[in-house]
Amino acid sequence: MRNRLPRSVAAAAVLLLAGCGGPDSGSAGEERPGPGPASAVASAGERRADGARLLYRAEGGRSAQNPAFAPDGRSVLLTEFGEGYNRGAAALSVLPLDGGAPHKVLEDPDRAAVNLPGSSWNAAADAFAFATDRESDHDEVWLMKPGGAPERVTRHADGSGYSEPSFSPDGEWIVFQRSRGAERAAGQGDAAERDSLWKVRRSGGAPVLLVDGPATGTDNRQPNWSPRGDRIVFQRRGAGREDWSLWTVGADGGGLRQVTDAPGEHTDPSWSPDGRFLVFSSNLGGLPNAQLFAVAADGGTPVRVTREDAAYDGAPSWSPDGKWIAFESAPGGEADPAALWRIPAPDTP
């Protein structure tokens, strides 16, 4: 599953859519011809048996991950790890969906800049949010306007990592995950595996606690703000447990609700553009590799979206027009570099 420790923690421990115009319906059947290829590999029209089509595959063992749509749906932000899946330095790139290769927007030698799939690119702020250790030994929250320079949002010195940021719809707030890096590095075991969720104003200032992991004995990760701005979805597990479930919480930290309760690892949640559904990655039913599923935001029976059991599918994002889902896929599981794909979104009532 995609549960990447912040790069600073790992070092301490060991040291879509090609054509957002898409089909006329949300089914996997008839497709209008899309615009030009997203890369030399994608130009071959590579397609899986489940109908997913390739957007971009990096060369040289690099791993393309975390697609997040631009507000206009014409490009996606992505993270490209230099040494394989979640390994090595990482750069941010933007992939145009009318053809052409991705262009790097931020790359620091020996540093990792990582975006979250979902609502990390915001129209009101005209910026995308990401985490990087470019000025410190731990991750901080940053933002960047297209064509602009990176702007630091958070500043802290307790050794924890601030990562996986996403914007509120009005662009005023950024929610993020606080990982207890100092405790993990000190070998404090399970007590340290209890991440919390916080929010901070785009302009900076003191972060506000939303979900307290240590106080509740839970691990809380990968928050994504809803399109309406009233709720935040995230993945949660109890201390010492392997299973992850999906939860939502109010933007003020109240009204905690569980969305999925079936056994399995349900991760990487993000919202449909109308806010009624969630797309996520899961090994539901004992799948050998995680696949994509969709579920109503208030709970229900998940609907399977991808069907490529030999590959790990994760980090999904719904297109702004609701027709497509972009995601990362590693052909032999997370040990292999991932590529970016897109698949028609499931029909929803």
Side-chain angles (χ1 to χ4, degrees):
M1 297 295 179
R2 183 187 172 275
N3 298 313
R4 184 185 65 89
L5 289 180
R7 187 168 179 269
S8 57
V9 175
V14 183
L15 142 67
L16 190 0
L17 288 263
C20 196
D24 293 324
S25 72
S27 69
E30 303 169 357
E31 292 191 43
R32 289 182 288 176
S39 71
V41 176
S43 66
E46 187 173 342
R47 183 169 180 167
R48 304 192 324 189
D50 62 359
R53 289 197 174 185
L54 183 67
L55 287 177
Y56 170 64
R57 179 181 289 123
E59 299 177 346
R62 298 190 304 277
S63 187
Q65 300 177 215
N66 307 347
F69 282 94
D72 63 7
R74 298 175 61 184
S75 58
V76 292
L77 177 69
L78 64 105
T79 301
E80 194 165 316
F81 286 90
E83 299 174 15
Y85 194 89
N86 282 348
R87 295 197 300 270
L92 297 178
S93 296
V94 172
L95 175 69
L97 298 178
D98 59 356
H103 59 276
K104 286 187 173 63
V105 295
L106 182 64
E107 183 175 29
D108 293 318
D110 301 320
R111 298 288 180 175
V114 180
N115 71 284
L116 179 72
S119 54
S120 59
W121 197 335
N122 181 263
D126 186 28
F128 47 81
F130 60 97
T132 181
D133 55 350
R134 72 190 319 254
E135 287 186 355
S136 61
D137 291 328
H138 54 266
D139 284 338
E140 298 276 12
V141 174
W142 292 67
L143 62 82
M144 187 173 182
K145 295 180 180 294
E151 304 173 34
R152 187 167 174 175
V153 178
T154 61
R155 297 177 182 274
H156 71 291
D158 64 6
S160 62
Y162 288 4
S163 60
E164 312 288 20
S166 76
F167 271 107
S168 62
D170 63 8
E172 292 300 315
W173 290 89
I174 300 173
V175 64
F176 63 92
Q177 160 189 327
R178 177 184 181 263
S179 302
R180 302 177 68 193
E183 292 91 336
R184 286 179 184 159
Q188 294 186 15
D190 184 67
E193 295 288 338
R194 298 177 185 174
D195 292 357
S196 301
L197 303 183
W198 297 70
K199 66 179 181 180
V200 66
R201 289 195 177 274
R202 184 183 78 199
S203 57
V208 178
L209 179 63
L210 296 176
V211 178
D212 192 331
T216 58
T218 59
D219 196 0
N220 308 276
R221 304 187 186 184
Q222 296 185 238
N224 251 302
W225 223 299
S226 71
R228 289 193 292 265
D230 56 337
R231 300 196 67 76
I232 295 163
V233 67
F234 61 99
Q235 65 186 59
R236 164 181 266 204
R237 67 179 174 185
R241 297 182 59 85
E242 292 296 326
D243 284 0
W244 292 90
S245 55
L246 303 187
W247 292 68
T248 63
V249 68
D252 61 356
L256 192 66
R257 301 173 193 164
Q258 187 169 0
V259 179
T260 63
D261 58 7
E265 296 188 43
H266 315 310
T267 67
D268 299 6
S270 62
W271 299 81
S272 64
D274 61 8
R276 297 190 302 136
F277 295 91
L278 303 169
V279 62
F280 63 102
S281 179
S282 177
N283 63 355
L284 183 67
L287 291 170
N289 286 294
Q291 301 288 287
L292 301 189
F293 290 80
V295 68
D298 57 358
T301 302
V303 174
R304 189 166 173 179
V305 178
T306 61
R307 297 180 178 274
E308 187 77 5
D309 287 358
Y312 155 77
D313 293 345
S317 293
W318 221 302
S319 64
D321 66 3
K323 294 181 178 180
W324 299 97
I325 293 172
F327 62 100
E328 67 186 31
S329 182
E334 294 184 24
D336 294 335
L340 301 187
W341 297 72
R342 55 90 166 169
I343 194 167
D347 292 324
T348 52

